[in-house]
Amino acid sequence: MSVRTQQGSAPEDRVEDPPDPVELASRRPGACGAVDVRTLTRVLFERLAELPPGAPERVRVRAALIEANIPLVRYAATRFRSRSEPMEDIVQVGTIGLINAIDRFDPERGVQFPTYALPTILGEIKRYFRDNVRTMHVPRRLQELWVQVSGAMEELTVTHGRAPKVPEIAANLRIPEEDVRACLDAGRAYNAASLEAAQEHEGGLALLDRLGYEDSALTDVEHRDMVRHLLVQLPERERRIIMLRFFANLTQSQISTELGMSQMHVSRLLSRILSRLRTGNSWEE
């Protein structure tokens, strides 16, 4: 075991700390100045493979791998910057994917770590949006397609200097325009707006104030239609009595004066007519 001396201490009093993983890469032949992330990552994985399980240094090497590849997480997170979630929250979720990729990566397969890790990071972020952010259910196919649509929108915006149109996005991705429109609708389905929240572009009116209401007379439509069907079966005099009483709001006394008959006779006729109407039977003399 290597030891280091310190002024005022015997050599055997202190055990040398494990070397810094970043220093491991800088000590390799040909290394000079800043070490690029790919080289550093490769060296750290080589060192990690040499360490036995449970070795204290594995924690430091693993932490160094995470720190060295955080830029990869930030790169992946920029694909989701159009979402309403804070970028730092997305980076934190992506870091979980990075850690999973580090724990599962096998250098012996000959695949570059960024190539292996990026899908894992993106998958973790997409899973986060799918399971924790949306307040409305959106099919997974549209969620995955939305990532492509949003990327194409960014690319076309830079190319044309303006927001792209639906046909341009569809042509760029070689998908039907209907799918693009569905994705645009799905991409906005992250947060449900309160019906009572004021809308600035609507003069401060809440969405609830602009919704239609149920007409209280709507339930009477069927009854009105049935009554109309029965009224047409009444003789002219009886139909006029009903119209004067319930549509003109005349009293029995006023109806008797209007028709030249006694109030008692009007009362008897009304009772007879209403009885027929209630039973739904046609009028019979």
Side-chain angles (χ1 to χ4, degrees):
M1 180 181 296
S2 60
V3 297
R4 67 178 182 183
T5 59
Q6 189 175 30
Q7 186 174 1
S9 302
E12 64 273 16
D13 290 339
R14 294 183 60 86
V15 178
E16 184 180 19
D17 294 332
D20 190 321
V22 177
E23 293 179 2
L24 290 174
S26 62
R27 294 173 186 172
R28 293 179 63 86
C32 58
V35 182
D36 69 274
V37 175
R38 287 180 181 270
T39 302
L40 176 59
T41 299
R42 185 177 67 254
V43 172
L44 290 173
F45 271 116
E46 291 174 358
R47 179 57 177 164
L48 196 65
E50 297 171 355
L51 297 172
E57 190 179 347
R58 289 184 64 90
V59 177
R60 295 186 59 197
V61 175
R62 185 169 176 268
L65 276 168
I66 297 171
E67 185 66 27
N69 288 277
I70 285 295
L72 182 63
V73 177
R74 295 192 178 277
Y75 167 76
T78 56
R79 299 190 182 186
F80 303 87
R81 60 174 172 267
S82 60
R83 309 291 178 87
S84 58
E85 290 295 292
M87 182 57 64
E88 286 306 312
D89 289 354
I90 301 176
V91 171
Q92 288 184 12
V93 174
T95 303
I96 297 175
L98 172 64
I99 294 172
N100 292 335
I102 290 174
D103 292 339
R104 301 168 185 168
F105 182 63
D106 184 3
E108 298 299 326
R109 294 187 177 182
V111 179
Q112 292 287 339
F113 178 70
T115 304
Y116 173 83
L118 188 57
T120 306
I121 296 170
L122 291 173
E124 193 68 33
I125 296 175
K126 292 176 184 178
R127 190 177 302 108
Y128 167 74
F129 278 102
R130 184 183 69 242
D131 298 339
N132 301 288
V133 176
R134 291 184 184 271
T135 55
M136 299 178 63
H137 174 71
V138 176
R140 176 175 292 188
R141 184 183 70 86
L142 289 181
Q143 294 183 35
E144 296 174 348
L145 192 56
W146 164 247
V147 177
Q148 301 179 37
V149 169
S150 59
M153 290 173 61
E154 295 176 5
E155 178 182 342
L156 292 172
T157 299
V158 174
T159 302
H160 300 301
R162 58 172 174 79
K165 299 178 181 179
V166 170
E168 295 173 338
I169 300 173
N172 181 272
L173 295 176
R174 298 180 181 178
I175 61 176
E177 294 182 16
E178 292 75 13
D179 287 353
V180 175
R181 293 190 180 93
C183 280
L184 293 176
D185 291 338
R188 303 185 187 102
Y190 283 93
N191 299 295
S194 171
L195 293 178
E196 299 179 354
Q199 308 291 318
E200 295 182 1
H201 59 283
E202 296 291 344
L205 290 176
L207 182 61
L208 188 62
D209 298 330
R210 296 184 287 113
L211 293 178
Y213 62 92
E214 183 177 346
D215 190 344
S216 59
L218 186 61
T219 56
D220 296 333
V221 171
E222 184 177 353
H223 297 158
R224 286 172 177 268
D225 185 67
M226 182 179 66
V227 170
R228 184 181 298 108
H229 172 71
L230 295 174
L231 284 176
V232 297
Q233 301 181 52
L234 294 175
E236 177 64 27
R237 184 183 64 173
E238 283 70 19
R239 184 164 59 248
R240 188 178 181 192
I241 291 175
I242 291 294
M243 299 295 292
L244 291 173
R245 178 67 185 91
F246 295 101
F247 292 87
N249 293 322
L250 297 185
T251 64
Q252 293 183 12
S253 177
Q254 292 171 324
I255 295 173
S256 65
T257 302
E258 178 75 19
L259 299 180
M261 62 179 65
S262 68
Q263 180 179 343
M264 183 65 68
H265 188 42
V266 171
S267 178
R268 286 198 299 267
L269 285 175
L270 273 174
S271 297
R272 182 182 176 188
I273 295 168
L274 293 176
S275 177
R276 291 288 184 178
L277 292 177
R278 290 191 184 100
T279 58
N281 296 328
S282 60
W283 180 262
E284 296 179 358
E285 291 291 348

